[in-house]
């Protein structure tokens, strides 16, 4: 029970820490500026973080390409066991009367000098630059998505303000109609018409607030943070000034050619493809390989008695030969020239046997057993060796020619893709610039129209107060003001969104 409680407590703490970490990452301030929204998006957007995940792999690829030029070192070791029995090999039978334990080690160093390997680091660096530029592309896309939706939320808030003003005007119109009805200067139809206009405006406010809430939810989604029940409490604080556009088309295109990461990605791909052609051509060159190494092994018999038998037989043969030599010396040498004349006094001891000659001397037995105790680390080292080789490809069935042709194809396609994207970028910039200029002029016209609609409403209200106008005239004028105000708001944010689209096409902020 104690262990179960401990595990539950640990898992509970881990879950709490994870929740706190998630809350920390996704905390949205109640006063949200555009920079804060972009910072949160860079930290939490799944699409942007997915693009960033490729950066470490590209760095490792560059490191691997650089170290491919250095020698490779390998170390290995092993343990083995072989039971007693017979083994057939090459038509011969080998008998092993005792199981054996074995171990081995090997340390090898090899160096392959291939001409194509010298181009590998340059290709890997070009691919790393392409990866970094892809992250930059994801960043530009993220800025465009978040900024556009931020503007959409602000537009929704502005349209809520327009709807609120319409409610206020309709409330004033209803009050005026009721007063005129009470003094007999208006009919019930005027009051009813004002009430209908008021309720219609109130419905419009509800719909505008709904659009604003939905726009905020979408903004948080693009930022990569979850929306909460109190999403309406998040207030956007960024102000977008209205500045007349004075952009030069050639300057915008030059900036894009230097800063647009989409063009840089294709340029990096073209660089890597051109290096690939050089690498493919180097397959015709010879390559060299140098290798050296050290190794050793042990083999220990588990049944030591089989080692003593051959040694005992050999020792007994040595003792018998010693006795024979002693007898021969005794017969040929008379008198003895020395104290013993070279005769070995104890042949059994000389041969490593006991006094009776029926078994090995204990010291000999101990030495034999000790020499067998080599497993696992008393290695018998093999002689050091080194090899030098050269490989010169002569005929491979046009495989190298095919690789060179494919590399040329990839390089040509990469160049054409880069040129095509440059044309697309130039055209997109020009189209976006035309849209920005058109939206700016449209906004000025809508501003003039808004001013005229307000003046027309003022005239209609004044005429209605003095009895020379009708309620329908006031209602129409109010609708025209509301439409003019909404059109102006739409034109303002259409202009801001067009500027954002232009910045995205250029790939660099314009202000």
């Amino acid at each position: 029970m104690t262990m179960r409680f401990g595990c539950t407590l640990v898992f509970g703490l881990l879950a709490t820490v994870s929740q706190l970490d998630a809350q920390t990452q996704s905390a949205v301030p109640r006063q949200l500026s555009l920079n804060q929204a972009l910072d949160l998006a860079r930290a939490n957007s799944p699409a942007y973080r997915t693009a960033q995940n490729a950066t470490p792999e590209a760095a490792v690829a560059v490191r691997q390409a650089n170290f491919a030029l250095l020698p490779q070192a390998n170390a290995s070791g092993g343990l083995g066991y072989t039971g007693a029995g017979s083994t057939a090999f090459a038509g011969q039978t080998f008998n092993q009367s005792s199981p054996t334990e074995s171990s081995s080690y090997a340390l090898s160093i090899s160096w392959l000098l291939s001409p194509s390997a010298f181009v590998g680091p340059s290709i890997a660096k070009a691919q790393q630059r392409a990866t970094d530029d892809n992250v930059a592309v994801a960043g530009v896309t993220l800025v465009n998505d978040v900024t556009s939706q931020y503007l959409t939320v602000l537009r929704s808030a502005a349209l809520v303000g327009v709807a609120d003003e319409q409610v206020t005007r309709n409330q004033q119109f209803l009050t005026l109609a009721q007063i005129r009805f009470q003094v007999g200067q208006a009919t019930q139809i005027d009051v009813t018409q004002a009430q209908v206009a008021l309720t219609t405006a109130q419905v419009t406010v509800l719909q505008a607030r709904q659009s604003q809430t939905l726009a905020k939810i979408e903004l948080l989604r693009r930022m990569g943070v979850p929306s909460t029940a109190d999403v309406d409490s998040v207030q956007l604080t960024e102000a977008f000034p209205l500045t007349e556009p004075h952009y030069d088309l050639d300057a915008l295109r030059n900036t894009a050619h230097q800063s647009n990461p989409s063009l840089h990605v294709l340029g990096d791909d073209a660089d890597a493809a051109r290096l690939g052609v050089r690498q493919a051509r180097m397959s015709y060159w010879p390559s060299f390989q140098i290798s050296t190494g050290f190794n050793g092994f042990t083999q220990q018999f588990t049944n030591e008695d089989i080692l003593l038998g051959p040694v005992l037989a050999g020792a007994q043969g040595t003792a018998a030969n010693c006795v024979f030599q002693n007898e021969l010396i005794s017969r040929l040498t008379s008198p003895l020239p020395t104290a013993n004349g070279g005769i070995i006094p104890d042949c059994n001891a000389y041969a490593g046997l006991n006094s009776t000659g029926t078994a090995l001397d204990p010291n000999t037995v101990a030495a034999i057993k000790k020499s067998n105790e080599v497993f696992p680390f008393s290695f018998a080292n093999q002689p050091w060796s080194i090899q030098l080789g050269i490989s010169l490809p002569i005929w491979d069935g046009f495989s190298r020619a095919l690789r060179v042709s494919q590399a040329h194809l990839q390089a040509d396609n990469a160049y054409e893709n880069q040129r095509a994207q440059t044309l697309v970028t130039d055209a997109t910039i020009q189209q976006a610039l035309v849209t920005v200029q058109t939206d700016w002029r449209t906004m000025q016209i809508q501003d003039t129209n808004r001013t005229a609609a307000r003046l027309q409403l003022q005239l209609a209200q004044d005429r209605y107060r003095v009895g020379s106008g009708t309620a329908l005239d006031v209602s129409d004028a109010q609708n025209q003001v509301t439409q003019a105000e909404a059109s102006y708001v739409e034109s303002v944010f259409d202009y801001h969104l067009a500027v954002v689209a232009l910045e995205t096409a250029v790939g660099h902020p314009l202000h």
Side-chain angles (χ1 to χ4, degrees):
M1 181 180 297
T2 302
M3 182 178 296
R4 183 180 302 173
F5 174 75
C7 293
T8 304
L9 179 60
V10 170
F11 286 122
L13 291 175
L14 291 176
T16 303
V17 171
S18 300
Q19 292 175 358
L20 290 176
D21 182 66
Q23 292 174 0
T24 301
Q25 290 182 357
S26 61
V28 179
R30 290 295 172 259
Q31 301 295 321
L32 182 64
S33 67
L34 179 59
N35 287 332
Q36 290 174 324
L38 292 175
D39 290 339
L40 285 172
R42 293 186 183 98
N44 298 282
S45 172
Y48 185 67
R49 295 179 65 174
T50 299
Q52 288 180 316
N53 289 339
T55 302
E57 181 182 358
V60 172
V62 172
R63 191 181 305 120
Q64 187 274 335
N66 289 326
F67 279 92
L69 301 175
L70 300 179
Q72 304 293 315
N74 294 289
S76 62
L79 301 174
Y81 174 84
T82 304
S86 299
T87 303
F89 180 75
Q92 297 183 1
T93 302
F94 300 90
N95 294 318
Q96 181 169 297
S97 57
S98 172
T100 58
E101 296 173 340
S102 61
S103 62
S104 63
Y105 81 92
L107 176 63
S108 62
I109 300 175
S110 61
W111 192 9
L112 177 62
L113 297 175
S114 174
S116 60
F118 290 94
V119 188
S122 299
I123 296 177
K125 290 178 182 178
Q127 293 172 343
Q128 184 185 32
R129 291 194 300 270
T131 300
D132 294 338
D133 289 331
N134 277 322
V135 175
V137 170
V140 172
T141 302
L142 181 68
V143 171
N144 176 70
D145 290 344
V146 174
T147 305
S148 299
Q149 191 60 31
Y150 194 98
L151 287 168
T152 300
V153 176
L154 291 179
R155 175 166 56 185
S156 300
L159 292 177
V160 169
V162 171
D164 286 336
E165 290 180 0
Q166 177 69 350
V167 170
T168 301
R169 285 193 293 266
N170 284 326
Q171 183 65 53
Q172 295 173 351
F173 176 43
L174 176 61
T175 302
L176 179 60
Q178 289 174 340
I179 293 175
R180 287 177 55 81
F181 175 72
Q182 291 174 359
V183 297
Q185 294 181 355
T187 64
Q188 183 63 38
I189 296 177
D190 294 343
V191 176
T192 304
Q193 184 176 353
Q195 290 175 341
V196 171
L198 176 61
T199 55
T200 302
Q202 290 172 341
V203 171
T204 303
V205 168
L206 291 177
Q207 294 173 343
R209 294 188 184 280
Q210 177 190 6
S211 299
Q212 182 183 14
T213 302
L214 295 179
K216 287 183 179 180
I217 295 174
E218 177 62 17
L219 174 62
L220 297 181
R221 185 197 68 79
R222 296 189 183 189
M223 291 166 52
V225 296
S227 60
T228 58
D230 58 342
V231 65
D232 289 328
S233 63
V234 178
Q235 301 298 322
L236 307 189
T237 61
E238 195 70 27
F240 289 82
L242 291 173
T243 305
E244 184 176 359
H246 296 287
Y247 301 118
D248 181 72
L249 178 60
D250 292 334
L252 293 175
R253 286 176 172 175
N254 291 333
T255 302
H257 295 168
Q258 297 175 2
S259 304
N260 193 306
S262 298
L263 296 179
H264 289 176
V265 170
L266 295 177
D268 297 331
D269 291 340
D271 292 340
R274 285 191 292 268
L275 291 170
V277 174
R278 184 188 306 174
Q279 188 178 50
R281 288 175 177 172
M282 287 183 176
S283 62
Y284 287 94
W285 295 12
S287 60
F288 302 89
Q289 184 173 12
I290 302 174
S291 61
T292 184
F294 304 88
N295 60 81
F297 71 95
T298 66
Q299 187 177 38
Q300 177 176 311
F301 292 91
T302 59
N303 184 8
E304 297 177 340
D305 293 338
I306 66 171
L307 298 175
L308 300 178
V311 176
L312 176 60
Q316 289 175 341
T318 301
N321 183 60
C322 176
V323 172
F324 173 77
Q325 294 292 336
N326 284 344
E327 291 179 354
L328 182 62
I329 291 173
S330 297
R331 293 177 182 177
L332 296 179
T333 306
S334 181
L336 296 176
T338 60
N340 56 12
I343 296 176
I344 297 176
D346 189 351
C347 287
N348 289 335
Y350 170 74
L353 298 172
N354 58 9
S355 58
T356 62
T358 58
L360 292 173
D361 181 77
N363 293 331
T364 303
V365 172
I368 293 173
K369 291 184 177 181
K370 185 172 182 59
S371 65
N372 183 52
E373 295 175 355
V374 295
F375 180 82
F377 298 119
S378 297
F379 296 103
N381 295 319
Q382 302 300 301
W384 173 72
S385 63
I386 185 172
Q387 296 84 30
L388 173 63
I390 182 173
S391 175
L392 178 62
I394 298 177
W395 172 253
D396 62 353
F398 294 104
S399 295
R400 288 170 296 173
L402 177 60
R403 289 195 296 270
V404 172
S405 178
Q406 291 173 340
H408 275 293
L409 175 63
Q410 292 178 356
D412 293 341
N413 289 342
Y415 169 75
E416 294 299 335
N417 290 337
Q418 181 184 14
R419 195 170 69 89
Q421 184 60 40
T422 302
L423 294 174
V424 170
T425 301
D426 290 346
T428 304
I429 291 174
Q430 187 172 6
Q431 293 169 352
L433 180 58
V434 171
T435 303
V436 168
Q437 295 170 344
T438 302
D439 288 344
W440 175 262
R441 290 194 294 268
T442 300
M443 181 183 64
Q444 292 177 319
I445 295 173
Q446 294 293 355
D447 187 30
T448 302
N449 186 40
R450 178 182 62 165
T451 302
R454 288 176 177 176
L455 180 60
Q456 182 179 357
L457 174 61
Q458 183 66 40
L459 293 175
Q461 290 174 339
D462 292 342
R463 292 180 62 190
Y464 184 71
R465 287 191 184 94
V466 299
S468 61
T470 65
L472 182 60
D473 295 335
V474 175
S475 179
D476 290 341
Q478 287 181 341
N479 291 334
Q480 290 177 0
V481 167
T482 301
Q483 183 61 41
E485 294 281 358
S487 298
Y488 175 75
V489 168
E490 294 286 353
S491 65
V492 168
F493 286 97
D494 284 344
Y495 168 73
H496 288 312
L497 289 172
V499 173
V500 172
L502 179 60
E503 291 182 340
T504 302
V506 175
H508 190 272
L510 300 180
H511 54 76

